[in-house]
Amino acid sequence: MNRNVILTCAITGAGDTAAKSPHVPVTPQQIADSCIEAARAGASVAHIHVRDPETGGISHSVEHFREVMDRVREADADIVMNITAGGGGDWIPDAEDPTRGGPGTDIQTPAERHAPVAELLPELCTLDCGSLNFGDMVYVNTADWLREHARLVQAAGVKPELECFDLGHVWFARQLQQEGLLDGDPLYQLCLGIPWGAEADTETMLAMRNKLPKNANWAAFGIGRHQMPMVAQAVLLGGHARVGLEDNLYLEKGVLATNGQLVEKATTLIENLGARVMTPAETRAHLKLRDPRTGKVVGGDA
């Protein structure tokens, strides 16, 4: 069991959820305000995507990320910032010509995905570790693209959170480590319950955990109704946890949640198991992250 838990709040995501709940933040100010809400509720880390303020759809704008980061950094609530670098991988074959992407396709090069990270230098960024059938689309991450992306993240001095949606992704992340493309102790995020990747259950989480390197830090999350059970299971198996409106819109059946409410509920669950949520400062020390105030890496365990 892990008694000192890093709790991430995934603030908004990129999926078609804004129309399903009024609490899903869309504009940079709303996303920043939700990060601050999560921080005040006790979250260790805020994981952010940004959206088009007009449509609520996917955005890769560096300026949108910059506004969110600046607003959060200027607030009186500390939180570790984790920028997504996993956008631009959505492939939906065109119905008339399957060699081309059809409506909904959104593909970026590794350099384009990395641009907000290189510009803004958050403490963490995501690095997705493989392709999969993601619902009705294909999420594309070829091995050579991932190697290129890992080199860019490494050169920027930002710690990657290795997103693993299936067991083979853990295998490839270990390969990146063996090739010297990851610095320090790796940080894994086990992403469970997304059709058609790894299922959100104990057996799957345990199988993925057992394939991690001995020096790995790891967390896990489940989507929808699996969110809180996977928080508890991750903590009991020695890991960290994630909640947030990217993954689940409900506080309980029929009751729409805010990010702050999900953090509070997860914190209570973690404390009832006999553990505690780590502060942002403790998280930076534990993961050896760069302190945004000084630009220096914080060392040592919390």
Side-chain angles (χ1 to χ4, degrees), residues 60-61 85-90 106-116 140 145:
H60 305 298
S61 167
D90 303 347
D106 177 42
I107 296 292
Q108 288 188 301
T109 66
E112 290 169 333
R113 295 186 189 191
H114 181 67
V140 179
W145 276 22

Coordinates of all heavy atoms in Angstrom, one line a residue, residues 60-61 85-90 106-116 140 145:
H60 N -4.7 23.1 -29.9 CA -3.3 22.9 -29.6 C -2.6 24.2 -29.4 O -1.4 24.2 -29.4 CB -2.7 22.1 -30.7 CG -3.4 20.8 -31.1 ND1 -3.5 19.8 -30.2 CD2 -4.0 20.4 -32.2 CE1 -4.2 18.8 -30.7 NE2 -4.5 19.1 -32.0
S61 N -3.3 25.3 -29.2 CA -2.7 26.6 -29.2 C -1.8 26.8 -28.0 O -2.1 26.6 -26.9 CB -3.9 27.7 -29.1 OG -3.3 28.9 -28.8
A85 N 0.9 16.4 -24.0 CA 1.6 16.4 -25.2 C 1.1 15.2 -26.1 O 1.7 14.8 -27.1 CB 3.1 16.2 -25.0
G86 N -0.1 14.8 -25.8 CA -0.7 13.6 -26.5 C -1.8 14.0 -27.5 O -2.4 13.1 -28.1
G87 N -2.0 15.3 -27.8 CA -2.9 15.6 -28.8 C -2.4 15.4 -30.2 O -1.2 15.1 -30.4
G88 N -3.3 15.5 -31.2 CA -2.8 15.3 -32.6 C -2.5 13.9 -33.0 O -1.6 13.7 -33.8
G89 N -3.2 12.9 -32.4 CA -3.0 11.6 -32.8 C -4.3 10.8 -33.2 O -4.3 9.6 -33.4
D90 N -5.4 11.6 -33.5 CA -6.7 11.0 -33.8 C -6.8 10.7 -35.3 O -6.7 11.6 -36.1 CB -7.8 11.9 -33.3 CG -7.7 12.3 -31.9 OD1 -7.0 11.7 -31.1 OD2 -8.4 13.3 -31.5
D106 N -7.2 14.3 -36.5 CA -6.4 15.4 -36.0 C -5.0 14.8 -35.7 O -4.8 14.2 -34.7 CB -7.1 15.9 -34.7 CG -6.2 17.0 -34.1 OD1 -5.7 17.9 -34.8 OD2 -6.1 17.0 -32.8
I107 N -4.1 15.1 -36.7 CA -2.8 14.5 -36.6 C -1.8 15.6 -36.5 O -1.8 16.6 -37.3 CB -2.5 13.6 -37.8 CG1 -3.4 12.4 -37.8 CG2 -1.0 13.1 -37.8 CD1 -3.2 11.4 -36.7
Q108 N -0.8 15.5 -35.6 CA 0.3 16.4 -35.5 C 1.6 15.6 -35.5 O 1.6 14.4 -35.1 CB 0.2 17.2 -34.2 CG -0.8 18.2 -34.1 CD -0.7 19.1 -32.8 OE1 -0.7 18.5 -31.7 NE2 -0.5 20.4 -33.0
T109 N 2.7 16.2 -35.9 CA 4.0 15.6 -35.8 C 4.5 15.7 -34.3 O 3.9 16.5 -33.5 CB 5.0 16.4 -36.7 OG1 5.2 17.7 -36.1 CG2 4.6 16.5 -38.1
P110 N 5.5 14.9 -34.0 CA 6.0 15.0 -32.6 C 6.5 16.4 -32.2 O 6.2 16.9 -31.1 CB 7.2 14.1 -32.6 CG 6.8 13.0 -33.6 CD 6.1 13.8 -34.7
A111 N 7.1 17.2 -33.2 CA 7.5 18.5 -32.9 C 6.3 19.4 -32.6 O 6.4 20.3 -31.7 CB 8.3 19.1 -34.1
E112 N 5.2 19.3 -33.4 CA 4.0 20.1 -33.1 C 3.4 19.7 -31.8 O 2.9 20.6 -31.0 CB 3.0 19.8 -34.3 CG 3.4 20.4 -35.6 CD 2.6 20.0 -36.7 OE1 2.0 18.9 -36.7 OE2 2.5 20.8 -37.7
R113 N 3.3 18.4 -31.4 CA 2.8 18.0 -30.1 C 3.6 18.6 -29.0 O 3.1 19.0 -27.9 CB 2.8 16.5 -30.0 CG 1.9 15.8 -31.0 CD 1.8 14.3 -30.6 NE 1.1 13.6 -31.7 CZ 0.8 12.3 -31.5 NH1 1.1 11.6 -30.4 NH2 0.1 11.7 -32.5
H114 N 4.9 18.7 -29.2 CA 5.8 19.2 -28.2 C 5.9 20.7 -28.0 O 6.4 21.2 -27.0 CB 7.3 18.7 -28.5 CG 8.3 19.0 -27.5 ND1 8.3 18.5 -26.2 CD2 9.4 19.8 -27.6 CE1 9.3 19.0 -25.5 NE2 10.0 19.8 -26.3
A115 N 5.4 21.4 -28.9 CA 5.6 22.9 -28.9 C 5.2 23.6 -27.6 O 5.9 24.4 -27.1 CB 4.8 23.5 -30.1
P116 N 4.0 23.3 -27.1 CA 3.6 24.0 -25.8 C 4.6 23.6 -24.7 O 4.9 24.4 -23.8 CB 2.2 23.5 -25.5 CG 1.7 23.0 -26.8 CD 2.9 22.5 -27.6
V140 N -2.9 7.3 -32.9 CA -1.7 6.9 -33.6 C -0.5 7.4 -32.9 O -0.3 8.6 -32.7 CB -1.7 7.5 -35.0 CG1 -0.5 7.1 -35.8 CG2 -3.0 7.0 -35.8
W145 N 8.0 7.9 -34.0 CA 7.4 9.2 -33.5 C 7.7 9.3 -32.0 O 8.0 10.4 -31.5 CB 6.0 9.3 -33.8 CG 5.7 9.7 -35.2 CD1 6.5 9.7 -36.3 CD2 4.5 10.3 -35.7 NE1 5.9 10.2 -37.4 CE2 4.6 10.6 -37.1 CE3 3.2 10.6 -35.1 CZ2 3.6 11.2 -37.8 CZ3 2.2 11.2 -35.8 CH2 2.4 11.5 -37.2

